[in-house]
Amino acid sequence: MDNTTGLRENKKLRTRRRLAATALELFLERGFDAVSVADIAAAAEVSKPTLFRYFPSKEDLVLDSFADHQDEAARIVRERPAGQGPVGAVREHFLAALDRRDPITGLCDHPAVLAFERLVFSTASLDSRLALYTAREVELLAAALEAESAPPLTARLAALHLVTARQELGRENWRRIEAGHSADEAHPAAVADAEAAFGMLAGGLDQVLPIRPAQAQAQA
């Protein structure tokens, strides 16, 4: 990549972040349905066609941060150590994220994170649009499992279970925080729920999904 290309890509990234930040500020201030694409474009000082080049829909302006996590489950599975099954790898990663109070687990009581999650989960069109991001996450994880010789249907069913478990655990944790618990207070229950959820999956999925051999890990 030459300097010109690099500068152009950096400028695009800055514009994308500015648009998303401007939109989120307006949505939190006025409510999602009360803000139009024209409002966002005007506040960010760009044209509507320019905005749509970066974001296909108004909903994507909010949900863009979820795109960064779409390949997370697939990456966890691909990079897991030898001798570990996919369920164990996802479980271990989720528990570590709980310990960090990672917002993606729902166990985060930072006011800005809570405001964002409240906006997403209380706005029907955002919650609906989120399903498209979930579908992509499932698709990527299923592909990673198929690459390890899992049959296509088995890979897809396993991916659906694992992605759904992560999401539902996250929503339950968010409900706890919304009910007034701090992240520290909710942590023990969040860990117990995660252990129970992944324990149920391990009892079935680990019987049909491949355990990664040491040779495959060395080649990754």
Side-chain angles (χ1 to χ4, degrees), residues 150-202:
L153 179 58
T154 298
R156 180 157 184 81
L157 288 173
L160 282 165
H161 282 298
L162 285 167
V163 169
T164 300
R166 281 174 22 119
Q167 289 190 340
E168 288 305 311
L169 287 168
R171 291 205 182 203
E172 183 62 21
N173 291 333
W174 172 73
R175 292 185 192 104
R176 289 189 175 102
I177 303 299
E178 276 288 282
H181 297 284
S182 70
D184 289 343
E185 290 169 342
H187 182 257
V191 170
D193 282 350
E195 293 284 20
F198 291 115
M200 285 188 289
L201 294 180

Side-chain angles (χ1 to χ4, degrees), residues 12-129:
K12 287 181 179 179
L13 181 59
R14 287 195 301 271
T15 300
R16 185 179 187 87
R17 288 175 175 170
R18 177 163 55 88
L19 287 169
T22 299
L24 183 57
E25 183 178 352
L26 291 174
F27 293 148
L28 291 175
E29 178 185 333
R30 306 181 196 172
F32 184 80
D33 294 329
V35 178
S36 68
V37 171
D39 293 332
I40 299 164
E45 299 182 334
V46 300
S47 66
K48 284 177 62 177
T50 295
L51 187 151
F52 281 124
R53 282 203 297 270
Y54 286 91
F55 297 96
S57 74
K58 191 171 84 165
E59 287 76 14
D60 290 317
L61 281 156
V62 178
L63 301 175
D64 185 57
S65 60
F66 284 93
D68 296 336
H69 295 276
Q70 283 183 300
D71 68 340
E72 187 171 72
R75 177 179 53 77
I76 292 165
V77 166
R78 287 195 305 268
E79 296 176 359
R80 73 189 190 279
Q84 187 176 50
V87 177
V90 175
R91 168 193 167 277
E92 185 177 280
H93 183 274
F94 192 85
L95 290 173
L98 286 176
D99 289 342
R100 297 193 305 272
R101 308 298 191 262
D102 190 322
I104 201 67
T105 66
L107 193 70
C108 181
D109 51 16
H110 190 284
V113 173
L114 285 175
F116 173 80
E117 292 180 336
R118 193 175 297 119
L119 174 69
V120 172
F121 297 141
S122 65
T123 305
S125 61
L126 288 172
D127 210 17
S128 177
R129 184 74 173 178

